Amino acid sequence: MGVRRRVGGFVLLVNPILCDGFGHCAELAPDLVHVDEWGYPIIVTEPVALANLAALESARYAVRGCPRQALRIERVHDAH
Amino acid sequence: MIAPESVPRVLRNASGRPLTLSQHEECFGPLPPGAPSLDVLEASGLTGRGGAAFPTAKKARLIREQRGHGKFVVVNAMEGEPAAHKDRTLISANPHLVLDGAQYLAGIVGARHVAVCVSRDDPIMVNHLQRAVHERDRHGARGVSFELHTPPWRYVAGEESALVHWLDDNESLPQYRPRRPHILRIGHAPVLVDNAETCAHVGLIARYGGDWFRRLGTPTSPGSALVSVSGAVARPTVLEIPLGVPVRSILERAGADPDPQAVLMGGYGGAWLDARHLDVPYANDALAPLGSSVGAGVIIVLPRSGCGIAETQRIARWMANESARQCGPCAFGLPAIAEDLARLALDSRGARAAYERLVDRCGAIEGRGACRHPDGVVRLVRSALAVFAEHVEDHVQGVACPASRSTRHYSAVPSLEREEELIWE
Ligand SMILES: Cc1cc2nc3c(=O)[nH]c(=O)nc-3n(C[C@H](O)[C@H](O)[C@H](O)COP(=O)(O)O)c2cc1C
Ligand code: SF4
Ligand code: SF4
């Protein structure tokens, strides 16, 4: 079980309609998110391996810390 | 009653007025009795004519597989592209062919309701469609009810999720759809959205079959398509052409400038095509390697005397103003891009910096809106920088370009109604 959960990857997704562009997520998950010149998040689009626990953890911080609940983690099956 | 061997197909009607239901059945024959067939639609290979060229049967199958009562078929006759006139021309000739197609699609997916959507700012279209819908209701439409809906005009109001949002909740705003395909819904009911021209082709496929449909066009882009040609032409026209004919032959038929600089293919969210490539077949697989596509069936002809950068700037500025302003990268990014283009076109000192910013900003905003509106602008701008590369270099070097200041425009950009809202220095 524990092993299977690490197979595959994830992406962090933002709903741009909900997002207010204060860029909180870029502070919470700096390895996955940086902000554009207007403060809106640009998120790494390449899937990240679930085995990368640090990245997964910071993505979770961002999801929980987003004041607009605009972020979501989605599992994908292919990852590097 | 005989299946036409060549074009016009969906535009067959020389009377200059919309055919009534009885005239329509005289011209095309009645819809055949029996259940509508997804296999027939699949065999035709028809792809959507609203811009994305998605296989129509594939989309219908997806909705057919959904459970849910009260499914809808939505006919998208919004025609938001200012340079497009094809759906209007079609509806002014054969409104019932569009409704036939919608009815057939409703039968395939198991829908009881057809919502025909046209902008309320186009009273003539509203009138034609109202009359056609009434006629249907009087004569019975095999268990399918037709309703006319008239959202206000906006460029993004014709985007399918915005259209369904309007039908569901009276707001013409696109919806966030992280996963595609995404099933759009009115309440809980799944919705199939098809462009008006797509429906008209379905109306003919229903009668004459998939093999007949494939007698025109190419194996990968079968059938005929409507094209709105404008710009450096004697008169803007809508033509029905077999897909796969050389782009040049379309220009010839439209009476266009025989030696243009470039053509804008697809619409305002489309891509410029250098005039060197005018012998390319008008079909997506041939156009794709050139960065271009059929899109919404728009061709805008730019003569050698025009400035492609200034033309692109006017379009981009208008498109920026048409952002629904729900998403930051679109609401802020598009005006910024339009401003960079203005500097590139008109400001000899700031041109180089503007060019560099433009390239960066296109990269930054692509794919980051809830809908594809900003991606269309990025595509347009990138194609302009590539096709007009030499001319861009002149602007960057500060070489005078009288055309960029000329008041003669080719892309028929409407004046900005809400310009004061635009972030614009
Ligand atoms: C910004 C935007 C505007 C659009 N406007 C229209 C429109 O006015 N009419 C239309 O038929 N499709 C429009 N589309 C495409 C629709 O979203 C949708 O793909 C189409 O109606 C599907 O029909 P089809 O499969 O028959 O092409 C637009 C798309 C975008 C991104
Ligand atoms: S924290 Fe949420 S609302 Fe704020 S910028 Fe990030 S995604 Fe947008
Ligand atoms: S991308 Fe632009 S047009 Fe599309 S929903 Fe977002 S703000 Fe509106």
Side-chain angles (χ1 to χ4, degrees), chain B residues 22-109:
Chain B
S22 57
Q23 289 169 333
H24 166 73
E25 294 198 337
E26 225 166 89
C27 177
F28 295 100
L31 266 183
S37 158
L38 183 55
D39 293 338
V40 170
L41 189 58
E42 197 137 49
S44 75
L46 173 65
T47 54
R49 303 292 197 240
F54 193 80
T56 305
K58 208 166 156 184
K59 212 157 74 172
R61 183 183 299 280
L62 190 69
I63 302 300
R64 179 163 88 164
E65 284 165 357
Q66 301 303 309
R67 268 178 290 172
H69 293 294
K71 287 179 193 171
F72 279 82
V73 168
V74 171
V75 179
N76 190 348
M78 296 298 289
E79 192 147 71
E81 279 282 342
H85 220 77
K86 71 181 181 81
D87 294 335
R88 264 163 280 201
T89 304
L90 170 64
I91 287 162
S92 307
N94 293 316
H96 283 289
L97 199 54
V98 176
L99 301 186
D100 278 350
Q103 184 173 323
Y104 196 79
L105 287 163
I108 288 176
V109 302

Side-chain angles (χ1 to χ4, degrees), chain A residues 13-17 36-38 40-42 72 74, chain B residues 174 176 178-179 326-328 332-333 336 361 368 370:
Chain A
L13 295 175
V14 61
N15 176 339
I17 296 178
D36 66 16
E37 57 185 296
W38 305 284
Y40 290 86
I42 300 180
R72 213 160 42 78
E74 191 168 289
Chain B
Y176 175 55
R179 260 165 265 131
Q326 300 193 97
C327 317
F332 296 103
R361 284 173 168 168
R368 289 179 54 226

Side-chain angles (χ1 to χ4, degrees), chain A residues 14 19-25 41 66-68 70-71:
Chain A
V14 61
C19 171
D20 63 15
F22 282 105
H24 203 39
C25 48
C66 171
R68 302 295 313 269
L71 292 169

Side-chain angles (χ1 to χ4, degrees), chain B residues 392-413:
Chain B
V392 166
E393 192 51 31
D394 285 348
H395 278 259
V396 167
Q397 300 290 347
V399 177
C401 169
S404 66
R405 287 170 197 279
S406 157
T407 50
R408 181 117 171 67
H409 307 156
Y410 299 93
S411 44
V413 180

Side-chain angles (χ1 to χ4, degrees), chain B residues 47-56 59 76-81 86-87 154-161 163 177 193-199 319 371-373:
Chain B
T47 54
R49 303 292 197 240
F54 193 80
T56 305
K59 212 157 74 172
N76 190 348
M78 296 298 289
E79 192 147 71
E81 279 282 342
K86 71 181 181 81
D87 294 335
R154 286 217 66 162
Y155 184 81
V156 297
E159 194 275 337
E160 57 190 359
S161 72
L163 196 54
R177 295 181 289 164
V193 182
D194 279 303
N195 168 257
E197 183 195 340
T198 309
C199 293
M319 292 285 269
C371 79
R372 303 260 154 102
H373 182 62

